[in-house]
Amino acid sequence: MVARLAGKNAIITGAAGGIGLETAIQFGIEGANVILSDINEENLIKAVKIVKENAAEGVKIEYKIADVSKEDQVKALVDAAEPWGGVDIMFNNAGIMHPKDDGVLNTPEDIWDLTQAINVKGVYFGSKHAIASILNNKKAGGSIINTGSFVALMGAATPQIAYTTSKGAVLAMSRELAICYAKNNIRVNSLCPGPLNTPLLQAFLDTEEKSLRRTVHLPSGRFGEAIEQAKAVVFLASDESSYVTGQDFLVDGGLTKSYVTSLGAPPKGPENVAFGK
């Protein structure tokens, strides 16, 4: 069977763990050459080792440190794929959910700015330079996948104003890019995960109260796994999704189509009244 991404060149940001790492593994299995990027070199080196161990024979796996909030570093990251013939797939996955991100009255301005810089500007820079690479190399097209979130579509039960706003911006940006470059066969979609069993979320859900506010809305009663998101990214990156662009691609276990399960009720409080919970 022919690998679904054979001969494609892919870049993944936020690749040292979670969705990024699982996607890098799947990309390698499916025959893509992959550049993994993150800001944590120690974890990134470990990730590259795992990806290489699982990758199809002959694929190239490299890594490059980059702070996605800095345009020069993102450009250098994209330029690293030029010796391979340029970018075919860009997965703008890097993001943060800061523990000090709270309601609009309590979130510090520096946390707001940091979140927008990484979650929004990072996607902007990654998309900008990936599209330039695809066009400059006169490729037949390409796929850009940007990590959004279900909270951009329905709001979060746990206040996280900076993160929620940033993911709404990612969805809007992705739709705009999809329309602008549809005739160039550059597809742009947003991956919208539900709550996942990843270190990023578990660090944020540091109390039973916060965790219950999430699980009460999950029909399956469990958080999703990063591998389940990675499989969706492979689909969006491959030619199997050749007529899919501008979509908010929900992989949320039915969360956005449900109301409240019978797992329990969130604690009472004014914030829950405001969110209609």
Side-chain angles (χ1 to χ4, degrees):
M1 185 175 66
V2 178
R4 290 185 286 174
L5 303 178
K8 303 287 188 181
N9 302 323
I11 294 175
I12 302 173
T13 65
I19 297 173
L21 173 54
E22 292 293 345
T23 300
I25 293 170
Q26 294 302 312
F27 277 12
I29 290 172
E30 293 291 347
N33 302 313
V34 188
I35 298 176
L36 291 79
S37 181
D38 209 287
I39 58 171
N40 187 319
E41 185 169 18
E42 181 180 355
N43 289 344
L44 197 50
I45 291 172
K46 293 177 182 177
V48 168
K49 184 175 184 293
I50 295 170
V51 175
K52 285 183 175 180
E53 289 172 350
N54 289 275
E57 186 177 354
V59 305
K60 296 184 282 287
I61 307 295
E62 297 182 1
Y63 79 90
K64 189 171 182 62
I65 303 298
D67 177 348
V68 298
S69 69
K70 310 297 184 185
E71 183 170 14
D72 59 337
Q73 295 187 33
V74 176
K75 184 179 185 303
L77 171 61
V78 174
D79 287 347
E82 287 302 302
W84 299 351
V87 177
D88 297 289
I89 303 161
M90 183 77 188
F91 183 25
N92 291 306
N93 174 65
I96 63 165
M97 180 188 290
H98 200 282
K100 291 184 180 180
D101 189 358
D102 199 347
V104 70
L105 301 180
N106 301 318
T107 300
E109 184 178 1
D110 63 333
I111 301 304
W112 171 274
D113 290 343
L114 176 65
T115 303
Q116 308 314 314
I118 295 172
N119 293 6
V120 183
K121 285 176 68 176
V123 172
Y124 163 62
F125 293 145
S127 298
K128 173 183 177 180
H129 291 289
I131 289 170
S133 175
I134 293 167
L135 296 176
N136 290 339
N137 285 287
K138 296 181 172 57
K139 290 181 174 288
S143 178
I144 296 173
I145 303 107
N146 301 322
T147 299
S149 173
F150 78 97
V151 300
L153 296 168
M154 63 183 298
T158 301
Q160 47 182 43
I161 189 66
Y163 181 84
T164 297
T165 302
S166 72
K167 293 305 182 180
V170 168
L171 267 57
M173 188 193 320
S174 299
R175 297 188 201 109
E176 172 87 355
L177 292 171
I179 300 307
C180 289
Y181 292 96
K183 289 186 178 179
N184 300 100
N185 197 31
I186 299 174
R187 298 180 295 103
V188 186
N189 293 288
S190 298
L191 176 75
C192 296
L196 300 183
N197 183 26
T198 64
L200 179 65
L201 180 63
Q202 296 308 328
F204 184 77
L205 301 181
D206 55 357
T207 67
E208 183 179 355
E209 178 181 333
K210 285 183 177 181
S211 182
L212 181 57
R213 285 181 181 173
R214 288 294 173 83
T215 56
V216 73
H217 296 285
L218 296 171
S220 65
R222 71 170 177 88
F223 294 121
E225 298 294 336
I227 183 63
E228 294 171 308
Q229 303 297 320
K231 296 284 190 179
V233 178
V234 170
F235 168 71
L236 292 173
S238 75
D239 292 339
E240 292 174 2
S241 60
S242 58
Y243 203 55
V244 179
T245 194
Q247 299 303 306
D248 307 326
F249 200 81
L250 281 157
V251 187
D252 67 351
L255 184 154
T256 53
K257 302 301 183 286
S258 68
Y259 182 53
V260 178
T261 72
S262 59
L263 297 176
K268 293 181 180 180
E271 68 274 23
N272 291 306
V273 173
F275 280 97
K277 300 292 185 287

